[in-house]
């Protein structure tokens, strides 16, 4: 008894047995909320804070609506709606998407800091081979200096 001088365990009440179902109800509600309100982007890797689209004067003048969007972080890392894929998986994804859509067009958002032009041309040629009618490389207008 020297290790338990106050003998608190003898004064505790036993846990009520009629609330066992509440544990399962709470667990079920948590799972339900994750299924209903969860996002595939919460735990998936994202674009990051250093992702920068190239700047080009007149970029908004050439803007068109596209049916599909991909984001290229670096040559081996491409994000589509389903998550991160590599270039070989991108070829299959492009074929599948081109078969499902009438006149598919592709917007490529590429990181201006780490994506070489050869990667963009490889993606464009793969998209045209898959059946895409248009491939657009995303750009934004340069920031105007404040007057």
């Amino acid at each position: 008894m020297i290790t338990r001088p106050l003998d608190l365990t003898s004064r505790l009440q036993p846990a009520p047995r009629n609330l066992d179902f509440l544990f399962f109800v709470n667990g079920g509600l948590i799972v339900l909320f994750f299924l209903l309100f969860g996002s595939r982007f919460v735990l998936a890797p994202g674009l990051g804070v250093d992702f920068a689209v190239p700047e080009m004067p007149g970029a908004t003048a050439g803007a068109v609506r596209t049916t599909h969007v991909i984001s290229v972080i670096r040559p081996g890392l491409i994000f589509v709606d389903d998550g991160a894929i590599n270039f070989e998986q991108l070829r299959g994804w492009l074929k599948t998407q081109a078969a499902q859509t009438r006149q598919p067009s592709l917007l490529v958002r590429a990181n201006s800091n780490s994506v070489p032009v050869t990667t963009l041309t490889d993606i464009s040629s793969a998209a045209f081979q898959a059946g895409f009618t248009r491939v657009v490389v995303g750009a934004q207008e340069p920031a105007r200096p404040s007057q």
Side-chain angles (χ1 to χ4, degrees):
M1 260 335 212
I2 201 114
T3 59
R4 298 180 187 170
L6 298 177
D7 194 28
L8 294 176
T9 55
S10 65
R11 292 175 173 68
L12 291 177
Q13 296 178 356
R17 301 302 299 166
N18 58 357
L19 296 178
D20 287 342
F21 73 93
L22 198 57
F23 170 77
F24 294 109
V25 170
N26 284 336
L29 286 175
I30 290 172
V31 169
L32 177 71
F33 285 135
F34 270 104
L35 290 176
L36 291 178
F37 303 114
S39 172
R40 59 192 149 96
F41 299 111
V42 172
L43 298 176
L47 295 180
V49 293
D50 61 340
F51 185 83
V53 178
E55 293 182 355
M56 182 178 78
T60 56
V64 293
R65 181 170 288 195
T66 59
T67 58
H68 298 83
V69 179
I70 64 171
S71 299
V72 184
I73 308 303
R74 58 181 187 267
L77 183 60
I78 302 167
F79 283 99
V80 296
D81 291 337
D82 301 328
I85 58 174
N86 60 22
F87 188 72
E88 293 305 318
Q89 294 168 334
L90 177 67
R91 289 183 188 271
W93 183 84
L94 289 170
K95 288 179 185 176
T96 313
Q97 298 301 318
Q100 294 175 353
T101 308
R102 188 174 155 258
Q103 293 185 345
S105 58
L106 180 67
L107 171 63
V108 180
R109 294 186 301 185
N111 190 355
S112 63
N113 300 327
S114 61
V115 178
V117 175
T118 56
T119 302
L120 295 176
T121 57
D122 291 342
I123 291 172
S124 296
S125 65
F128 285 124
Q129 288 174 358
F132 279 77
T133 57
R134 177 183 291 164
V135 177
V136 179
V137 177
Q140 65 184 2
E141 289 282 338
R144 294 182 180 166
S146 59
Q147 297 178 4

